[in-house]
Amino acid sequence: MKNNSSSKGNSRRDFIKKSVFALGAFAIVPRHVLGGKGFLAPSDTLTKAIIGVGGMGRGHIEYEGTKLLAMCDVDKVHLKDAIALAGGKVRGYSDFRELLAQPDIDIVHIATPPHWHGIMSVMAAQAGKDVWCEKPMTRTIGEGKRVVEAMEQYGRMFRLNTWFRFKDNFYGLGTTVKPLKKVVDSGILGWPLKVTISGVTGFNWKFYWVGKTNLQPMPVPSELDYEMWLGPAQYKPYNPHRVHSTFRGYWDYDGGGLGDMGQHYIDPVQYILGKDNTSPVRVDVDSPQQHDDAVGTWRRIEFTYADGCKIILDGENKDTTVPYIEGPKGKIYRGFKSDIPNILKLVDTFPDPEPQVSTFSESVISRKKFGLNEINGHRSSTIVNIGKIALQLGRSLEFDPVKQEFINDEAANRLINEPMRGPWKI
Amino acid sequence: MKSIKKLYILVLLAVLCFQAAAQDQRLLKTKVADVLALLPASDNEQSKRLFRELLNLGDEGMVMIMNGVVPNGIAEGTSSRYAVSLLTHYVTSAEDKSKIENAYLVALSKATDPEVKAYFISNLKLVGSNESVKPLANYIADKDLFDPAVSALISINTADAKQVLLTSLNTQSPEIQIKLTKALGRFRYQPALESITKNASSNNAALQKASLWSLALIADPGSSSVLLLQAASSGFKNNPSEATNALVEYLHQVSAKGNSALVKEISGAILDKTTDPTQQHYRLAALKELAKADPQGSPKLLIPERSKFDSEYQKEILKIATPAANNPDAVKRWQKELKKATGASQADIFTMLVSSNPNDQSIETLLTQGISSENPQVRMAAANEMAKRRNRKYLPAVLDYLARSTDDGEIAVATDAVLRLADKSSGGVISSKIISATPKSKAALIKILAARRDTEHFDVVAKEITSTDPLVKSAAFEALPNVSANKNGNDLLKMLAAAESDSEISAIQSALIASIDNTSVSLVNEAYAKDKVKLLPVLPYLNDKSALEKVVSTFYHGNEKEKEVAFEALSNWQDNEAARTLLAIRKDAALKKYHEAAFSAFVAQVGKSTWPDDQKLLMLRDIMPLATDKKEKSMVLRAAGSVRTFLSLMFVSKYIDDPDASAAASRSVMQIALPTADAKPGLTGLEVRNTLQRMLDKLTGDDSQYERIDILTYLEKLPYAKGYESIFNGKDLTGWQGLVENPIVRSKMTKELLAKKQQEANAKVGKNWSVKDGYIMFQGDGANLSTIRKYGDVEMIVDWKISKNGDSGIYLRGSPQIQIWDVARVDAGAQVGSGGLYNNEKAPSKPLKVADNPVGEWNTFHIKMVGDRVTVYLNGVLVVDDVPMENYWDRKLPLFPEEAIELQAHGTELYFRDIYVKELSSKPYELTTDEKTQGFEVLFNGKDLNNWIGNKTDYVVEDNTIAIYPTKEGHGNLNTEKEYSDFIFRFDFQLTPGANNGLGIHAPVEGDAAYEGKEIQILDNTAPVYSKLEVWQYHGSVYGILPAKREFLKPVGEWNQEEVYVKGDNIKVTLNGTVIAEGDLKKLTKNGTLDHKDHPGLNRHSGHIGFLGHGTVVKFRNIRIKDLTK
């Protein structure tokens, strides 16, 4: 412990030195504006680049329909490994702004920690790129609003990288979301509905994404551009637990298991309930006190919509017989069990929901909004962000879904926009 | 009356003051430490309470808290930061906010470390008011703290804050100016216009860019000339100042404010200068705002744009047109365009018009015309728009469209539209279209019936399997399983008999499987008699006792082809009936070709079987020795992972160190031992703890580091209970001995005689009882094998196996017996099965059910015995339900409370393995004989709080302990009912991290026992928050008076034993056998107390003994006292 004191001292000097970060001017050259090869021709292969090629970003190498041209990471080792993984023939960047300036890239995949998602999405849109962004969409409600505006402003396509609303079996339900949507749309369960997301209904809240309090300042490894890793987040001395696979445990970058899995679990619920254009009006929490840097666990978070629909996140799995969806006229349990006889047979005879654009290349070529885009993505990300704020404040909050502000709670409203550090703004 | 009342109030006041003074005597420092020790709060209620307590510490206390904030990375600061965080986040009233803000401002001014300063500034960001503006302004010029300070000012958002930002704008470096400009822009701060406008022509491109953007956000009408000028000078193209972007944003803002004149002016300017393809998006932005400003003129404006640039641009134009295309004039104009257009462009206009006028009557006509349009793209758009309306009246039109279509793309669109419009009642309309449809459409319609599982229209589909069109035919076959119901069984069997191609046969077989129910048995069996091979695949689903016999006999006696199909059927068997056959195949060396498939099918069927967990495990253990490779071993271990029993854990844990199986074994250990996501509790006990510890570093894989956290978290919570202990080590008979007579006879023997007899019995054991390969074996004609130890109430697990005509049993409390025998021994009545209390005469002696496995297979007993009542599960099946066991040796006597457990020998070959016992302490707490003779009395019987007074809501009885839970009221005392002066008080206690309690002696019921009586500390003084205690605060010290030695507490979570000896002024505290504090309190305080406080309690020599809660979880048990005055 003792011999760490010198490095601690250094880190604090780093703090002084680096808290203001110089940045050269950067010209945005929208690819759309330049025109160029095959911008619309469906016969052309779409091209992509990935920003952030740690654990999550590497998964994007294989994503369908596009050719990988470039990658970017602030960790040299990550970048080198990922380029090797992709077969070597891709360009590597350490500053994403250089990558965005490349005219031959159609789609930018953003797989960085969430505190970068907002800025990078907006800058990619400004640069004329379509965006494929990891969940959770943004770290704050304010950043999400800005992404929605920017996509509209620059006419770009956006997909959020969770997919249960249009494909794959949805955890404990053992089916895709489609039949659930059909059941709910049919009205057979009645209204309003209560959806419980807990281990009992087949969803595991990953509480191991908790931060550590009081991280020892440590020297930054030479391969990592920590300044750029932090970017818009407030400066905090380096410690390996803060970055890479464990960053989710810190409020500055994400929100623990809720941040990690929240949008994954909640977005399909928002779709099922038909709430893609609104937000809950109230949130109630039950949790231990949260540390202001390190994310902790919680017991229960309850969101209520204006029409009485509720989404309940149960971190304790207290009610062991709780249904997944509960309405006044019927219930659906884990594994699509129901108190309505022959529900599965019945489902097939209900009308199908509106089809969704479910491959991003199709969306990029046809310019039709992707099934999970910036608008509904922002709404489901807002649910997570409302929950995070309520956790931090430890109290119930009322929310105005139109203004997208909390009602009569100044402290909560101060958390809607996290001011950004140094040169970053959105 | 009046004066009496007054007097009463005076007395009351005096009492209150006195109490308050007594309370206040606790040092502020201690109070602060007490609150900090409770942080972080465990729930919202506690958070609120602690928030209040922090505020109540007053200015001085708050300063102490703030002083505790040290640079990050030093552990001592953690709880202070939690306190600050609580203050910042939980404050709601303006009054409290201002107190907290002041405290932060003081702390900020005193702090020297930049990180700590930044920390307080960032807290001011959340609670700061106008009061903070001035102090924060000082940091704008501070290179380290400028960033958080500006952020805080932005959050504070008062007129002064904005003014400060503006004032600094003119004095700071460009770098800082940029940030300030952005902030002012975001505030739309009008007074900053002049300064920002000045910078809009700066040479510093970044500053210029920020300034232009801020002007755009402020959107003052006067800024239009500057923004236009800068955009013009960039040629309405991109340049580093991004002037055109700013102009577009300005336009957007101005439009939002409703200044349409200005919108027209700026848009006009942009449209004039953006004729180049590279400027399309600026043009689109201008058109959009213009269309919004003048909806009436929108068609006229936009229609000409439809011939410009590329198709993407043209699509964007339609998007802009949509909101304003809903008035009659616009509809007229766009309809004209629609007629002129062709191809995709026509469809785009069509869609635009329809979506712009969702409720217009004319739209229905437009849609109807559209779906019959000559342009296929319009037809598809129309079908899609009809579906979007979710109105069933469009279904006939869409079906017509489907029926007449020939193009694959159109058929797909129409199919999709039908599925979106059709509801429960639509099956008839859909199927009626099939007859007249084109072959391609016909196939699509059949697929729709299948997708809707329309069993009502089986006949329609069935008819088409004879179609000459291959497309229709294959669609019909594919649809068959989805449209078949039970009533179709006969038809399907006929079809099956006629079918020839493999794919058709398998489609019909699937349909049959879908249609099968209880009434199908005879039909299927009839058909089976005619064509085995075709029907064999259906048999696994038939739910018929004879089905398995048929398949097994075909497998063993059929030809090669039949054998194959029969084996396939066995692998698909729907319940667990076929599992033993698969096992037999796997064991049969002659059937090697089936070994691999049989192995995996067996494991899969056991896994999903309805067998009880114990039986599943037995089956898995049975096949494990046959596993030939890593894959098969892992398969078994994974399956065992979902059998969440103690025995299963013991089984899989044996493979933790096997390199082939370690990964699967570790994962299964986790699955079995830890609580599940859906709240099934985890396993407990020492063996479980040790197993989890042992596999901690064996876990591999991406999530392993988090799984390790899960395990450690669980281990932390796991109570230190013994749980199941193995009483057979698998190697030898340690702990076991030969049997001497019965307990009654033994009790009458002299010690010497018993020892001699025991020696003789032990000598015999070696002849008949042996240990081999981890199990105990009996051969010959010897006597029972008995445990050396005696057992009372227990849960017990034992696996046993017998040979033909086998006979044995388990003796409990030295008495016969839980019966084990071969059910084939009907002459002896063995057909009732094993597990019964064989020698009962009054209570039932027969088991409830036969649950024995075939002779030669292992069986599992799970036995529970409390008092004389016995419950037995055999292979997971309840066979004895809480039945008293009678005393066989003397039926007049009750059963012995404690005696040996015996394995009965009865002349046949026997095997036992995995013998575990969990001792149950369900008895009330009793003194040892020694203590009884010394005159101790029990103060807590393990069941209720008789003998105690005080806070019985926070103190509860739980698992034979007294537990205090702070989640309820936090502080609170529990006192003995009686008062004591001289005594020896003995008790056990268990601490949680940071726990704080105390033992009050000579205490009154009211008042602070530490001063009004004496308090002997009960404290986890190993916790970091208590690192800076005074010696007279350590565990065991008499608070403020007599210090204690610190190092003798057991690790947190384990039970400690303590004795407090009190005689007059003499006190002696013994912790876990070591005297940690001893002294004469009178002598010690001759020259004053260590804490320099007045302790009136020093003069009290009698009072209650009590636990003094300080808001943390602590448990107590085995509480007894010897009154020395008696």
Side-chain angles (χ1 to χ4, degrees), chain A residues 302-328:
Chain A
E302 196 169 318
F303 302 96
T304 310
Y305 284 95
D307 63 357
C309 283
K310 279 177 189 288
I311 302 178
I312 288 155
L313 317 185
D314 182 355
E316 274 189 321
N317 309 321
K318 242 190 181 161
D319 183 352
T320 52
T321 57
V322 73
Y324 178 60
I325 307 180
E326 181 177 358

Side-chain angles (χ1 to χ4, degrees), chain B residues 713-729:
Chain B
T713 317
Y714 182 63
L715 282 175
E716 236 168 65
K717 276 191 267 172
L718 199 61
Y720 276 83
K722 253 204 252 164
Y724 280 111
E725 275 180 289
S726 173
I727 58 167
F728 163 52
N729 63 19

Side-chain angles (χ1 to χ4, degrees), chain B residues 870-921:
Chain B
V870 179
T871 299
V872 181
Y873 286 85
L874 171 54
N875 302 324
V877 178
L878 180 67
V879 292
V880 174
D881 187 6
D882 200 25
V883 174
M885 188 185 224
E886 292 159 18
N887 190 332
Y888 174 79
W889 306 116
D890 183 345
R891 292 196 182 269
K892 293 189 295 292
L893 285 180
L895 202 67
F896 315 111
E898 266 191 341
E899 260 305 336
I901 293 171
E902 296 169 33
L903 307 177
Q904 188 193 23
H906 229 294
T908 60
E909 207 170 85
L910 305 169
Y911 304 88
F912 299 91
R913 68 180 183 193
D914 289 312
I915 313 176
Y916 293 95
V917 170
K918 175 157 86 184
E919 290 181 84
L920 303 173
S921 57

Side-chain angles (χ1 to χ4, degrees), chain A residues 12 16 20 33 39 152-153 209 214 245 285 289 299 317 348-349 352 395 414 420-423 425, chain B residues 41-44 73 78 82 89 113 125 128 144 147 175 179 249 278 281 288 312 390 419 453 677 706:
Chain A
R12 244 172 259 129
I16 297 165
V20 178
V33 173
F39 187 67
E152 163 72 16
Q153 205 172 352
W209 296 121
N214 246 308
S245 58
V285 290
Q289 188 200 344
R299 288 183 280 269
N317 309 321
D348 289 316
T349 64
D352 275 1
R395 58 178 170 262
R414 286 188 183 191
M420 293 191 169
R421 190 172 62 103
K425 74 149 194 170
Chain B
S42 61
D43 59 30
N44 304 129
T78 308
Y82 268 114
H89 289 106
D113 184 278
K125 188 187 89 192
D144 312 336
D147 220 30
E175 208 178 333
K179 177 116 188 169
E249 181 62 29
T278 64
H281 63 314
K288 187 176 173 185
E312 195 198 355
R390 319 223 81 171
L419 284 172
R453 290 185 199 272
Y706 298 108

Side-chain angles (χ1 to χ4, degrees), chain A residues 29-104:
Chain A
V29 187
R31 166 156 151 65
H32 175 191
V33 173
L34 294 172
K37 175 186 77 96
F39 187 67
L40 277 173
S43 55
D44 275 6
T45 311
L46 295 169
T47 59
K48 75 173 165 202
I50 307 171
I51 309 176
V53 284
M56 194 57 95
R58 287 178 207 180
H60 287 250
I61 295 173
E62 295 300 321
Y63 281 170
E64 86 275 15
T66 47
K67 185 174 177 220
L68 178 65
L69 293 188
M71 292 187 192
C72 174
D73 204 292
V74 293
D75 185 309
K76 291 194 193 96
V77 174
H78 280 189
L79 185 61
K80 201 175 129 231
D81 291 354
I83 289 177
L85 194 68
K89 286 183 182 161
V90 293
R91 309 197 291 272
Y93 297 91
S94 53
D95 187 327
F96 73 97
R97 290 164 296 188
E98 277 175 51
L99 179 145
L100 290 182
Q102 303 302 312
D104 58 347

Side-chain angles (χ1 to χ4, degrees), chain B residues 1040-1041 1080-1090 1098:
Chain B
I1041 301 166
D1080 180 322
L1081 301 189
K1082 265 280 152 57
K1083 282 184 191 155
L1084 280 166
T1085 52
K1086 225 164 40 192
N1087 302 319
T1089 57
L1090 288 171
L1098 282 170

